[in-house]
């Protein structure tokens, strides 16, 4: 799906649903490595940016597995060219070390607007800095729907990150893109 657009960067946040479905930490990491190999086979200069898994109230019981996936992928990233790792595990935790439920929609799994604002702040430093990208995001940020719930009821969000990635790197293919759906971003 992504190859016709020849992106310079691919942002991926995936693995949480696989863990929940019963895949092992090792299998989730192997799937990630396979994804990277496929991307780099066709786009050898593209950066693959893994956005780490973070706990949610709905899946608090799998937090240790999510942390293990993050640790293994971060280590792989450090030894592999054109990979980047964004740590966001801690951004949803309060001072008590527990998940902040106010960052999630009613399903307690997906971020609400406040949760996405925190995610944007973590991802923003990794985005290309070109003026063309910035102008395009400003023109299109209102066109983006972010944070669909299980009932597929999107929340409106003005997301710099979402608009830039949606329009600049992948055009209109979000509804088909498993990687970006797992990130919680969809275009209209």
């Amino acid at each position: 799906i992504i190859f016709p657009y020849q992106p310079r960067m691919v942002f991926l946040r995936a693995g949480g649903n696989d863990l929940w479905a019963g895949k092992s930490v090792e299998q989730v990491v192997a799937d990630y490595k396979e994804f990277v190999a496929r991307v780099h086979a066709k786009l050898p200069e593209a950066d693959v940016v893994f956005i780490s898994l973070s706990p949610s109230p709905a899946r608090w019981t799998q937090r240790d597995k999510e942390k293990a996936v993050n640790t293994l992928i971060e280590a792989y990233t450090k030894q592999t060219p054109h990979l980047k790792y964004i740590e966001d595990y801690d951004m949803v935790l309060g001072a008590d070390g527990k998940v902040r439920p106010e960052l999630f929609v009613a399903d307690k799994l997906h971020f609400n607007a406040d949760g996405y604002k925190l995610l944007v702040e973590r991802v923003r430093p990794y985005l290309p800095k070109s003026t063309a990208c910035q102008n395009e995001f400003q023109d299109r940020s209102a066109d983006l729907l972010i944070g669909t719930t299980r009932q597929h009821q999107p929340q409106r969000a003005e997301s710099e990150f979402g608009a830039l990635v949606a329009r600049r790197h992948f055009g209109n293919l979000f509804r088909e893109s498993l990687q970006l759906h797992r990130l919680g971003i969809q275009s209209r």
Side-chain angles (χ1 to χ4, degrees):
I1 279 177
I2 63 174
F3 300 126
Y5 298 92
Q6 298 188 357
R8 290 173 291 161
M9 297 182 89
V10 178
F11 289 84
L12 176 68
R13 185 174 207 223
N17 289 341
D18 294 329
L19 291 172
W20 192 250
K23 280 192 176 185
S24 69
V25 167
E26 294 75 19
Q27 185 58 53
V28 171
V29 173
D31 290 348
Y32 171 72
K33 290 178 179 179
E34 181 182 341
F35 174 80
V36 167
R38 285 183 181 189
V39 169
H40 285 160
K42 293 196 179 209
L43 302 168
E45 298 301 313
D47 289 333
V48 176
V49 184
F50 184 79
I51 302 169
S52 74
L53 302 177
S54 56
S56 67
R59 295 185 180 168
W60 181 246
T61 57
Q62 80 176 21
R63 69 189 178 279
D64 292 336
K65 290 179 181 179
E66 290 170 335
K67 191 68 167 163
V69 166
N70 291 345
T71 299
L72 292 171
I73 289 178
E74 183 179 23
Y76 179 66
T77 297
K78 289 178 180 177
Q79 65 186 18
T80 309
H82 295 289
L83 297 185
K84 297 179 189 291
Y85 176 87
I86 300 173
E87 180 61 66
D88 73 346
Y89 185 91
D90 64 326
M91 78 176 194
V92 298
L93 302 178
D96 62 357
K98 299 207 175 175
V99 174
R100 296 172 46 203
E102 71 272 12
L103 298 176
F104 296 85
V105 296
D107 70 359
K108 300 185 186 318
L109 180 61
H110 298 96
F111 288 135
N112 63 21
D114 291 336
Y116 277 110
K117 285 179 189 174
L118 292 176
L119 184 60
V120 166
E121 292 306 314
R122 294 287 174 107
V123 174
R124 182 180 286 128
Y126 294 85
L127 297 174
K129 305 290 187 236
S130 81
T131 305
C133 288
Q134 291 170 359
N135 290 342
E136 187 156 351
F137 119 72
Q138 289 171 354
D139 293 342
R140 300 186 188 243
S141 63
D143 291 340
L144 196 64
L145 296 174
I146 296 180
T148 59
T149 66
R150 286 179 191 238
Q151 296 80 25
H152 302 290
Q153 298 170 345
Q155 290 184 319
R156 182 85 136 152
E158 302 292 330
S159 170
E160 174 175 335
F161 167 65
L164 179 60
V165 174
R167 300 301 183 178
R168 181 67 179 160
H169 296 292
F170 294 101
N172 293 315
L173 84 114
F174 277 127
R175 291 184 188 180
E176 300 163 330
S177 172
L178 174 63
Q179 294 76 34
L180 293 171
H181 177 71
R182 286 185 176 168
L183 184 59
I185 298 175
Q186 291 182 322
S187 66
R188 238 192 297 196

